[in-house]
Amino acid sequence: QEGKVLLVQEAVGATAGKNIWKIPTGVLEPREDIRDGAERELLEEVGLKAQFVKVLGFRHTHALPFGKSDMFFVCLLRATCKEASALTLQRSEIAKAKWADIHEFLEQAPYPRDIPLWAELYAACVGADGVVGNVPGIRAEKVPATPDPKGRHEYYYF
């Protein structure tokens, strides 16, 4: 929505039942591209059709079980439907959803305000003018996989 970000409260997981709002998140399917996964997860979790614009920032950590690493991408998506206020929540994952001012979210304690990694990552997604996404970011362009008789495609990010 105009000048707002979509926030959710989880029905399951570490923040469930703690009155903590967060941006919608999800996990990529095997062989799924970042932009496609972000659009799919948003549609699945809140019923919102949106178009990927760019990656605003990301976190990369190595402190996971089994010696694995994890990358968390913050992506800017824009709603493609006129009724962005009519959300259909995936109740098995999402308890509540709302449109909010980014600065309200940034000041939420303890998350993200009191956790430096998250506070800095999300703050870096806001331009000097106070608008989410008014930062360079990383765009994605669709290109055909070369050579590919099946018509598959890939994205390059810059």
Side-chain angles (χ1 to χ4, degrees), residues 9-60:
Q9 286 186 347
E10 293 183 325
V12 294
T15 64
K18 296 182 180 175
N19 199 33
I20 294 176
W21 292 95
K22 59 186 255 331
I23 62 172
T25 59
V27 178
L28 295 177
E29 299 289 341
R31 303 182 59 95
E32 185 176 40
D33 196 79
I34 295 165
R35 66 176 288 148
D36 298 333
E39 291 173 355
R40 176 189 54 75
E41 282 286 347
L42 193 61
L43 183 61
E44 286 177 4
E45 291 188 355
V46 297
L48 182 63
K49 290 184 181 182
Q51 183 175 22
F52 175 93
V53 177
K54 59 186 168 183
V55 172
L56 298 176
F58 66 94
R59 182 268 295 136
H60 188 194

Side-chain angles (χ1 to χ4, degrees), residues 72-98:
F72 180 93
F73 291 86
V74 180
C75 301
L76 178 65
L77 285 81
R78 298 234 187 262
T80 57
C81 59
K82 292 182 181 179
E83 288 300 317
S85 60
L87 302 174
T88 304
L89 306 185
Q90 182 182 24
R91 293 289 177 192
S92 62
E93 291 191 31
I94 305 298
K96 298 178 184 176
K98 71 175 182 177

